[in-house]
Amino acid sequence: RLLVVRRRAFAIAERERISDRIDRVESWSLDLKQATTCEDRKAAITNLRTTNDRRAIPALRRARQFACVERDVTEAITQLEARI
């Protein structure tokens, strides 16, 4: 799974001290897009929310289609939209 590959790559980047070069919003947006379980979607939403980066909003909006994370997505979008 691509999620697992990205997590391993991120762990290697952290070990090599180059993780600051990774666009976390882009990475976690991909995690959210490729997630197949509610648990993985919730984890990606939480990660995107903690970035406090409004670039995450489009990925979050696309995730509204999944009922199991609808509330999490709404809360994350509300928080990020407040960051003007």
Coordinates of all heavy atoms in Angstrom, one line a residue:
R1 N 0.8 -1.2 0.0 CA 0.0 0.0 0.0 C 0.9 1.2 0.0 O 1.9 1.3 0.6 CB -0.9 0.0 1.2 CG -2.0 -1.0 1.1 CD -2.9 -1.1 2.3 NE -3.1 0.1 3.0 CZ -3.9 0.3 4.0 NH1 -4.7 -0.7 4.4 NH2 -4.1 1.5 4.6
L2 N 0.4 2.2 -0.7 CA 1.1 3.5 -0.8 C 1.3 4.2 0.5 O 2.3 4.9 0.7 CB 0.5 4.4 -1.9 CG 0.6 3.8 -3.3 CD1 -0.2 4.7 -4.3 CD2 2.0 3.6 -3.8
L3 N 0.3 4.1 1.4 CA 0.3 4.7 2.7 C 1.5 4.2 3.5 O 2.3 5.0 4.1 CB -1.0 4.5 3.5 CG -2.2 5.1 3.0 CD1 -3.4 4.5 3.7 CD2 -2.2 6.6 3.2
V4 N 1.7 2.9 3.4 CA 2.8 2.3 4.1 C 4.1 2.7 3.6 O 5.1 3.0 4.3 CB 2.6 0.7 4.1 CG1 3.8 0.0 4.7 CG2 1.4 0.3 4.8
V5 N 4.2 2.7 2.3 CA 5.5 3.2 1.6 C 5.8 4.6 2.0 O 6.9 4.9 2.3 CB 5.3 3.1 0.1 CG1 6.5 3.7 -0.6 CG2 5.2 1.6 -0.3
R6 N 4.8 5.5 2.0 CA 5.0 6.9 2.4 C 5.4 7.0 3.8 O 6.3 7.8 4.2 CB 3.8 7.7 2.1 CG 4.0 8.8 1.1 CD 2.9 9.8 0.9 NE 1.6 9.3 1.1 CZ 0.9 8.6 0.2 NH1 1.4 8.3 -0.9 NH2 -0.4 8.2 0.5
R7 N 4.8 6.2 4.7 CA 5.2 6.3 6.1 C 6.7 5.8 6.3 O 7.4 6.4 7.1 CB 4.3 5.4 6.9 CG 2.9 6.1 7.1 CD 1.9 5.3 7.9 NE 0.6 5.9 7.9 CZ -0.5 5.3 7.9 NH1 -0.5 3.9 8.1 NH2 -1.6 5.9 7.9
R8 N 7.0 4.8 5.6 CA 8.4 4.3 5.7 C 9.4 5.3 5.2 O 10.5 5.6 5.7 CB 8.6 3.0 4.9 CG 8.0 1.8 5.6 CD 8.2 0.5 4.8 NE 7.5 -0.6 5.3 CZ 7.2 -1.6 4.6 NH1 7.5 -1.8 3.4 NH2 6.4 -2.6 5.2
A9 N 9.0 5.9 4.0 CA 9.9 7.0 3.5 C 10.0 8.2 4.4 O 11.1 8.7 4.6 CB 9.3 7.4 2.1
F10 N 8.9 8.5 5.1 CA 9.0 9.6 6.0 C 9.9 9.3 7.2 O 10.7 10.1 7.7 CB 7.6 10.0 6.5 CG 7.5 11.3 7.3 CD1 7.6 12.5 6.7 CD2 7.5 11.2 8.7 CE1 7.6 13.7 7.4 CE2 7.4 12.4 9.4 CZ 7.5 13.6 8.8
A11 N 9.8 8.0 7.7 CA 10.6 7.6 8.8 C 12.1 7.7 8.4 O 13.0 8.1 9.2 CB 10.3 6.2 9.2
I12 N 12.4 7.3 7.2 CA 13.8 7.3 6.7 C 14.2 8.8 6.6 O 15.4 9.1 7.0 CB 13.9 6.6 5.4 CG1 13.8 5.1 5.5 CG2 15.3 6.9 4.7 CD1 13.6 4.3 4.3
A13 N 13.4 9.7 6.1 CA 13.7 11.1 6.0 C 14.0 11.7 7.4 O 14.9 12.5 7.5 CB 12.6 11.8 5.3
E14 N 13.2 11.3 8.3 CA 13.4 11.8 9.7 C 14.7 11.3 10.2 O 15.5 12.1 10.9 CB 12.3 11.4 10.6 CG 11.0 12.2 10.4 CD 9.9 11.8 11.4 OE1 9.8 10.6 11.8 OE2 9.3 12.8 11.9
R15 N 15.0 10.0 10.0 CA 16.3 9.4 10.5 C 17.5 10.2 9.8 O 18.5 10.4 10.5 CB 16.3 7.9 10.1 CG 17.6 7.2 10.7 CD 17.7 5.8 10.2 NE 18.0 5.8 8.8 CZ 17.6 4.9 7.9 NH1 16.9 3.9 8.3 NH2 18.0 5.0 6.7
E16 N 17.3 10.5 8.6 CA 18.4 11.2 7.8 C 18.4 12.7 8.0 O 19.2 13.4 7.4 CB 18.3 10.8 6.3 CG 18.5 9.4 6.0 CD 19.8 8.8 6.5 OE1 20.9 9.5 6.3 OE2 19.9 7.7 7.0
R17 N 17.4 13.1 8.8 CA 17.3 14.6 9.1 C 17.0 15.4 7.9 O 17.6 16.6 7.8 CB 18.5 15.1 9.9 CG 18.6 14.4 11.3 CD 19.7 14.9 12.1 NE 19.7 14.1 13.3 CZ 20.7 14.1 14.2 NH1 21.8 14.8 13.9 NH2 20.6 13.4 15.3
I18 N 16.2 14.9 7.0 CA 15.8 15.7 5.8 C 14.3 15.8 5.7 O 13.8 16.2 4.7 CB 16.4 15.1 4.5 CG1 15.9 13.7 4.4 CG2 17.9 15.3 4.5 CD1 16.3 13.1 3.0
S19 N 13.6 15.5 6.8 CA 12.1 15.5 6.8 C 11.6 16.9 6.6 O 10.4 17.1 6.2 CB 11.6 14.9 8.0 OG 11.9 15.6 9.2
D20 N 12.3 17.9 6.9 CA 11.8 19.3 6.8 C 11.6 19.7 5.3 O 11.0 20.6 5.0 CB 12.8 20.3 7.4 CG 14.2 20.3 6.9 OD1 14.6 19.2 6.4 OD2 14.9 21.3 6.9
R21 N 12.1 18.8 4.4 CA 12.0 19.1 2.9 C 10.7 18.5 2.4 O 10.3 18.7 1.2 CB 13.1 18.5 2.2 CG 14.5 19.1 2.5 CD 15.6 18.5 1.7 NE 16.9 18.8 2.2 CZ 18.0 18.3 1.8 NH1 18.0 17.4 0.9 NH2 19.1 18.7 2.4
I22 N 10.0 17.7 3.2 CA 8.8 17.0 2.8 C 7.6 18.0 3.0 O 7.4 18.6 4.1 CB 8.5 15.7 3.6 CG1 9.7 14.8 3.3 CG2 7.2 15.1 3.3 CD1 9.7 13.5 4.2
D23 N 6.7 18.1 2.0 CA 5.5 18.9 2.1 C 4.5 18.0 2.8 O 3.9 17.1 2.2 CB 5.0 19.3 0.7 CG 3.8 20.2 0.8 OD1 3.1 20.2 1.8 OD2 3.5 20.8 -0.2
R24 N 4.3 18.2 4.1 CA 3.4 17.4 4.9 C 1.9 17.5 4.4 O 1.2 16.5 4.4 CB 3.6 17.7 6.4 CG 4.8 17.2 6.9 CD 5.0 17.6 8.4 NE 6.1 16.9 9.0 CZ 7.4 17.3 8.9 NH1 7.7 18.3 8.1 NH2 8.4 16.6 9.5
V25 N 1.5 18.7 4.0 CA 0.1 18.8 3.6 C -0.1 17.9 2.4 O -1.1 17.2 2.3 CB -0.2 20.3 3.3 CG1 -1.6 20.4 2.6 CG2 -0.2 21.1 4.5
E26 N 0.8 18.0 1.4 CA 0.7 17.2 0.2 C 0.7 15.7 0.6 O -0.1 14.9 0.1 CB 1.8 17.5 -0.8 CG 1.7 16.8 -2.1 CD 0.5 17.2 -2.9 OE1 0.0 18.3 -2.8 OE2 0.0 16.3 -3.7
S27 N 1.6 15.3 1.4 CA 1.8 13.9 1.8 C 0.5 13.4 2.5 O 0.0 12.3 2.2 CB 3.0 13.7 2.7 OG 3.1 12.4 3.1
W28 N 0.0 14.1 3.5 CA -1.2 13.7 4.2 C -2.4 13.8 3.4 O -3.4 13.1 3.6 CB -1.3 14.5 5.5 CG -0.2 14.0 6.5 CD1 0.3 12.7 6.7 CD2 0.5 14.8 7.5 NE1 1.2 12.7 7.7 CE2 1.3 14.0 8.2 CE3 0.4 16.1 7.8 CZ2 2.2 14.4 9.2 CZ3 1.2 16.6 8.8 CH2 2.1 15.7 9.5
S29 N -2.4 14.7 2.4 CA -3.6 14.8 1.5 C -3.6 13.5 0.6 O -4.7 12.9 0.4 CB -3.4 16.0 0.6 OG -3.6 17.2 1.3
L30 N -2.4 13.0 0.2 CA -2.4 11.8 -0.5 C -2.8 10.6 0.4 O -3.5 9.7 -0.1 CB -0.9 11.5 -1.0 CG -0.6 12.3 -2.3 CD1 0.9 12.1 -2.6 CD2 -1.4 11.8 -3.5
D31 N -2.4 10.6 1.7 CA -2.8 9.6 2.6 C -4.3 9.5 2.7 O -4.9 8.5 2.6 CB -2.2 9.8 4.0 CG -0.8 9.5 4.1 OD1 -0.2 9.0 3.2 OD2 -0.2 9.8 5.2
L32 N -4.9 10.7 2.8 CA -6.4 10.8 2.9 C -7.0 10.3 1.6 O -8.0 9.5 1.6 CB -6.8 12.2 3.2 CG -8.3 12.5 3.3 CD1 -8.9 11.6 4.4 CD2 -8.5 14.0 3.6
K33 N -6.5 10.7 0.5 CA -7.1 10.2 -0.8 C -7.0 8.7 -1.0 O -7.9 8.1 -1.5 CB -6.3 11.0 -1.9 CG -6.8 10.6 -3.3 CD -6.0 11.4 -4.4 CE -6.5 11.1 -5.8 NZ -5.8 11.8 -6.8
Q34 N -5.9 8.1 -0.6 CA -5.6 6.7 -0.8 C -6.1 5.8 0.4 O -6.0 4.6 0.2 CB -4.2 6.5 -1.1 CG -3.7 7.2 -2.3 CD -2.2 7.2 -2.5 OE1 -1.5 6.9 -1.6 NE2 -1.8 7.5 -3.7
A35 N -6.6 6.4 1.4 CA -7.0 5.6 2.6 C -8.2 4.7 2.2 O -9.1 5.2 1.4 CB -7.4 6.5 3.7
T36 N -8.2 3.6 2.8 CA -9.3 2.6 2.5 C -10.2 2.3 3.7 O -11.2 1.7 3.6 CB -8.8 1.3 1.9 OG1 -7.8 0.7 2.8 CG2 -8.1 1.6 0.5
T37 N -9.7 2.8 4.9 CA -10.5 2.5 6.1 C -10.8 3.8 6.8 O -10.1 4.8 6.6 CB -9.7 1.6 7.1 OG1 -8.5 2.3 7.6 CG2 -9.2 0.3 6.4
C38 N -11.8 3.8 7.6 CA -12.2 5.0 8.4 C -11.0 5.4 9.3 O -10.7 6.6 9.5 CB -13.4 4.8 9.2 SG -14.9 4.7 8.1
E39 N -10.4 4.4 9.9 CA -9.3 4.7 10.8 C -8.1 5.4 10.1 O -7.6 6.4 10.6 CB -8.7 3.3 11.4 CG -7.6 3.5 12.4 CD -7.2 2.1 12.9 OE1 -8.0 1.4 13.4 OE2 -6.0 1.9 12.8
D40 N -7.8 5.0 8.9 CA -6.7 5.6 8.1 C -7.2 7.0 7.7 O -6.4 8.0 7.7 CB -6.3 4.8 6.9 CG -5.5 3.6 7.2 OD1 -5.0 3.5 8.4 OD2 -5.4 2.7 6.4
R41 N -8.4 7.2 7.3 CA -8.9 8.5 7.0 C -8.9 9.5 8.2 O -8.5 10.6 8.0 CB -10.4 8.4 6.4 CG -10.4 7.8 5.1 CD -11.9 7.7 4.5 NE -11.9 7.0 3.3 CZ -12.4 5.8 3.2 NH1 -13.0 5.2 4.2 NH2 -12.4 5.2 2.0
K42 N -9.3 9.0 9.3 CA -9.3 9.8 10.5 C -7.9 10.3 10.9 O -7.7 11.4 11.3 CB -10.0 9.1 11.7 CG -11.5 9.1 11.6 CD -12.1 8.4 12.8 CE -13.6 8.4 12.6 NZ -14.4 8.1 13.8
A43 N -6.9 9.4 10.7 CA -5.5 9.7 11.0 C -5.0 10.8 10.1 O -4.4 11.7 10.5 CB -4.7 8.4 10.9
A44 N -5.3 10.7 8.8 CA -4.9 11.7 7.8 C -5.6 13.0 8.1 O -4.9 14.1 8.0 CB -5.2 11.2 6.4
I45 N -6.9 13.0 8.5 CA -7.6 14.2 8.8 C -7.0 14.9 10.0 O -6.7 16.1 10.0 CB -9.1 13.9 9.0 CG1 -9.7 13.5 7.7 CG2 -9.8 15.1 9.6 CD1 -11.1 12.9 7.8
T46 N -6.6 14.1 11.0 CA -6.0 14.7 12.2 C -4.7 15.3 11.8 O -4.4 16.4 12.3 CB -5.8 13.6 13.3 OG1 -7.1 13.1 13.7 CG2 -5.1 14.1 14.5
N47 N -3.9 14.6 11.0 CA -2.6 15.2 10.6 C -2.8 16.5 9.8 O -2.0 17.4 10.1 CB -1.8 14.1 9.8 CG -1.3 13.0 10.6 OD1 -1.1 13.1 11.8 ND2 -1.1 11.9 10.0
L48 N -3.7 16.5 8.9 CA -3.9 17.7 8.1 C -4.4 18.8 9.0 O -4.0 20.0 8.8 CB -5.0 17.4 7.0 CG -4.4 16.6 5.8 CD1 -5.6 16.1 5.0 CD2 -3.4 17.4 5.0
R49 N -5.2 18.5 9.9 CA -5.8 19.6 10.9 C -4.6 20.2 11.7 O -4.6 21.4 11.9 CB -6.8 18.9 11.8 CG -7.5 19.9 12.7 CD -8.6 19.2 13.5 NE -9.3 20.1 14.2 CZ -10.4 19.8 14.9 NH1 -10.9 18.6 14.9 NH2 -11.1 20.7 15.5
T50 N -3.7 19.4 12.1 CA -2.6 19.9 12.9 C -1.6 20.7 12.2 O -0.8 21.4 12.8 CB -1.9 18.8 13.7 OG1 -1.3 17.9 12.7 CG2 -2.8 18.0 14.6
T51 N -1.6 20.7 10.9 CA -0.7 21.5 10.1 C -1.1 23.0 10.2 O -0.2 23.9 9.9 CB -0.7 21.1 8.6 OG1 -2.0 21.4 8.0 CG2 -0.3 19.7 8.4
N52 N -2.4 23.3 10.4 CA -2.9 24.7 10.4 C -2.6 25.3 9.1 O -2.3 26.5 9.0 CB -2.3 25.5 11.6 CG -2.9 25.1 12.9 OD1 -4.1 24.8 13.0 ND2 -2.1 25.0 13.9
D53 N -2.6 24.6 8.0 CA -2.3 25.1 6.7 C -3.6 24.9 5.9 O -4.1 23.9 5.6 CB -1.2 24.2 6.1 CG -0.7 24.8 4.8 OD1 -1.5 25.4 4.0 OD2 0.5 24.6 4.5
R54 N -4.1 26.1 5.4 CA -5.3 26.1 4.6 C -5.3 25.3 3.3 O -6.3 25.0 2.7 CB -5.7 27.6 4.3 CG -6.1 28.3 5.6 CD -6.4 29.8 5.3 NE -7.3 30.0 4.3 CZ -8.6 30.2 4.5 NH1 -9.1 30.3 5.7 NH2 -9.5 30.4 3.4
R55 N -4.1 25.0 2.8 CA -3.9 24.2 1.6 C -4.6 22.8 1.8 O -4.8 22.1 0.8 CB -2.5 24.0 1.2 CG -1.8 25.3 0.8 CD -0.4 25.1 0.4 NE 0.4 24.6 1.5 CZ 1.3 23.6 1.4 NH1 1.6 23.1 0.2 NH2 1.9 23.2 2.4
A56 N -4.8 22.4 3.0 CA -5.4 21.1 3.3 C -6.9 21.1 3.0 O -7.5 20.0 2.9 CB -5.1 20.7 4.7
I57 N -7.5 22.2 2.9 CA -9.0 22.3 2.8 C -9.6 21.5 1.6 O -10.5 20.8 1.7 CB -9.5 23.7 2.9 CG1 -9.2 24.3 4.3 CG2 -11.0 23.8 2.5 CD1 -9.5 25.8 4.5
P58 N -9.0 21.7 0.4 CA -9.6 20.9 -0.7 C -9.6 19.4 -0.5 O -10.6 18.7 -0.8 CB -8.7 21.3 -1.9 CG -8.1 22.7 -1.5 CD -8.0 22.6 0.0
A59 N -8.5 18.9 0.0 CA -8.4 17.4 0.3 C -9.5 17.0 1.3 O -10.1 16.0 1.2 CB -7.1 17.0 0.8
L60 N -9.7 17.9 2.3 CA -10.7 17.6 3.3 C -12.1 17.6 2.8 O -12.9 16.8 3.1 CB -10.5 18.6 4.5 CG -9.3 18.4 5.3 CD1 -9.0 19.6 6.2 CD2 -9.3 17.1 6.2
R61 N -12.3 18.6 1.9 CA -13.7 18.7 1.3 C -14.0 17.5 0.5 O -15.1 17.0 0.5 CB -13.8 19.9 0.4 CG -13.9 21.2 1.2 CD -14.2 22.4 0.4 NE -14.5 23.5 1.2 CZ -14.0 24.7 1.1 NH1 -13.2 25.0 0.0 NH2 -14.2 25.7 1.9
R62 N -13.0 16.9 -0.2 CA -13.2 15.7 -1.0 C -13.5 14.5 -0.1 O -14.2 13.6 -0.5 CB -12.0 15.4 -1.9 CG -11.8 16.3 -3.1 CD -10.8 15.9 -4.0 NE -9.4 15.9 -3.4 CZ -8.6 17.0 -3.4 NH1 -9.0 18.1 -3.9 NH2 -7.4 16.9 -2.9
A63 N -13.1 14.5 1.1 CA -13.3 13.4 2.0 C -14.7 13.4 2.7 O -15.1 12.5 3.3 CB -12.2 13.4 3.1
R64 N -15.4 14.5 2.5 CA -16.8 14.6 3.0 C -17.7 13.5 2.5 O -18.7 13.2 3.1 CB -17.4 15.9 2.7 CG -17.0 17.0 3.6 CD -17.8 18.3 3.3 NE -17.6 19.2 4.4 CZ -17.6 20.5 4.2 NH1 -18.0 21.0 3.0 NH2 -17.4 21.3 5.2
Q65 N -17.3 12.8 1.4 CA -18.2 11.8 0.9 C -18.2 10.5 1.8 O -19.1 9.7 1.6 CB -17.6 11.4 -0.5 CG -16.2 10.7 -0.5 CD -15.7 10.4 -1.8 OE1 -16.4 9.8 -2.6 NE2 -14.5 10.9 -2.1
F66 N -17.3 10.4 2.7 CA -17.3 9.3 3.6 C -18.0 9.6 4.9 O -17.5 10.4 5.7 CB -15.8 8.8 3.9 CG -15.1 8.5 2.6 CD1 -14.1 9.4 2.1 CD2 -15.4 7.4 1.9 CE1 -13.4 9.1 1.0 CE2 -14.7 7.1 0.7 CZ -13.7 8.0 0.2
A67 N -19.1 8.9 5.2 CA -19.9 9.3 6.4 C -19.1 9.1 7.7 O -19.4 9.8 8.6 CB -21.2 8.4 6.4
C68 N -18.2 8.1 7.7 CA -17.5 7.8 9.0 C -16.6 9.0 9.4 O -16.2 9.0 10.6 CB -16.8 6.5 8.9 SG -15.4 6.5 7.6
V69 N -16.3 9.9 8.5 CA -15.4 11.0 8.9 C -16.0 12.4 8.7 O -15.3 13.4 8.8 CB -14.0 10.9 8.2 CG1 -13.3 9.6 8.6 CG2 -14.2 10.9 6.7
E70 N -17.3 12.4 8.4 CA -17.9 13.7 8.0 C -17.8 14.7 9.1 O -17.4 15.9 8.9 CB -19.4 13.4 7.7 CG -20.1 14.6 7.1 CD -21.5 14.3 6.6 OE1 -21.9 13.2 6.6 OE2 -22.2 15.3 6.3
R71 N -18.0 14.3 10.4 CA -17.9 15.2 11.5 C -16.4 15.7 11.7 O -16.1 16.9 11.9 CB -18.3 14.6 12.8 CG -18.4 15.5 13.9 CD -19.0 14.9 15.1 NE -18.3 15.3 16.3 CZ -18.1 14.5 17.4 NH1 -18.6 13.3 17.4 NH2 -17.5 15.0 18.4
D72 N -15.5 14.8 11.6 CA -14.0 15.1 11.7 C -13.6 16.1 10.6 O -12.9 17.1 10.9 CB -13.2 13.9 11.6 CG -13.5 12.8 12.6 OD1 -12.9 13.0 13.8 OD2 -14.2 11.9 12.4
V73 N -14.1 15.9 9.4 CA -13.8 16.7 8.3 C -14.4 18.1 8.5 O -13.7 19.2 8.3 CB -14.3 16.2 6.9 CG1 -14.3 17.2 5.8 CG2 -13.5 14.9 6.5
T74 N -15.6 18.2 8.9 CA -16.3 19.5 9.1 C -15.5 20.3 10.2 O -15.3 21.5 10.0 CB -17.7 19.3 9.6 OG1 -18.4 18.6 8.5 CG2 -18.4 20.6 9.8
E75 N -15.1 19.6 11.3 CA -14.4 20.3 12.3 C -13.0 20.8 11.9 O -12.6 21.9 12.2 CB -14.2 19.4 13.6 CG -15.5 19.1 14.3 CD -15.4 18.1 15.4 OE1 -14.3 17.6 15.6 OE2 -16.4 17.8 16.0
A76 N -12.3 20.0 11.1 CA -11.0 20.3 10.6 C -11.1 21.5 9.6 O -10.3 22.5 9.7 CB -10.4 19.2 9.9
I77 N -12.1 21.5 8.7 CA -12.3 22.6 7.8 C -12.6 23.9 8.5 O -12.1 25.0 8.2 CB -13.4 22.3 6.7 CG1 -12.8 21.2 5.8 CG2 -13.8 23.5 6.0 CD1 -13.9 20.6 4.9
T78 N -13.5 23.8 9.5 CA -13.9 25.0 10.3 C -12.6 25.6 11.0 O -12.4 26.8 10.9 CB -14.9 24.6 11.4 OG1 -16.1 24.1 10.7 CG2 -15.3 25.8 12.2
Q79 N -11.8 24.7 11.5 CA -10.6 25.2 12.2 C -9.6 25.9 11.2 O -9.1 26.9 11.5 CB -9.9 24.1 12.9 CG -8.6 24.5 13.5 CD -7.8 23.3 14.2 OE1 -8.4 22.3 14.6 NE2 -6.5 23.4 14.2
L80 N -9.4 25.2 10.1 CA -8.5 25.7 9.1 C -9.0 27.0 8.4 O -8.2 27.9 8.1 CB -8.2 24.7 8.0 CG -7.4 23.5 8.5 CD1 -7.3 22.4 7.5 CD2 -6.0 23.9 9.1
E81 N -10.3 27.1 8.2 CA -10.9 28.3 7.6 C -10.8 29.5 8.6 O -10.7 30.7 8.1 CB -12.3 28.1 7.2 CG -12.5 27.3 6.0 CD -13.9 27.0 5.6 OE1 -14.8 27.1 6.4 OE2 -14.1 26.7 4.4
A82 N -10.7 29.2 9.9 CA -10.6 30.3 10.8 C -9.2 30.9 10.9 O -8.9 31.9 11.4 CB -11.0 29.8 12.2
R83 N -8.2 30.2 10.3 CA -6.8 30.6 10.2 C -6.6 31.5 9.1 O -6.0 31.2 8.1 CB -5.9 29.4 10.1 CG -6.1 28.3 11.1 CD -5.1 28.3 12.2 NE -3.8 28.7 11.9 CZ -3.0 29.3 12.8 NH1 -3.5 29.5 14.0 NH2 -1.8 29.6 12.5
I84 N -7.0 32.7 9.2 CA -6.9 33.7 8.1 C -5.6 34.6 8.3 O -5.2 34.9 9.3 CB -8.1 34.6 7.9 CG1 -9.3 33.7 7.5 CG2 -7.9 35.7 7.0 CD1 -10.6 34.4 7.4

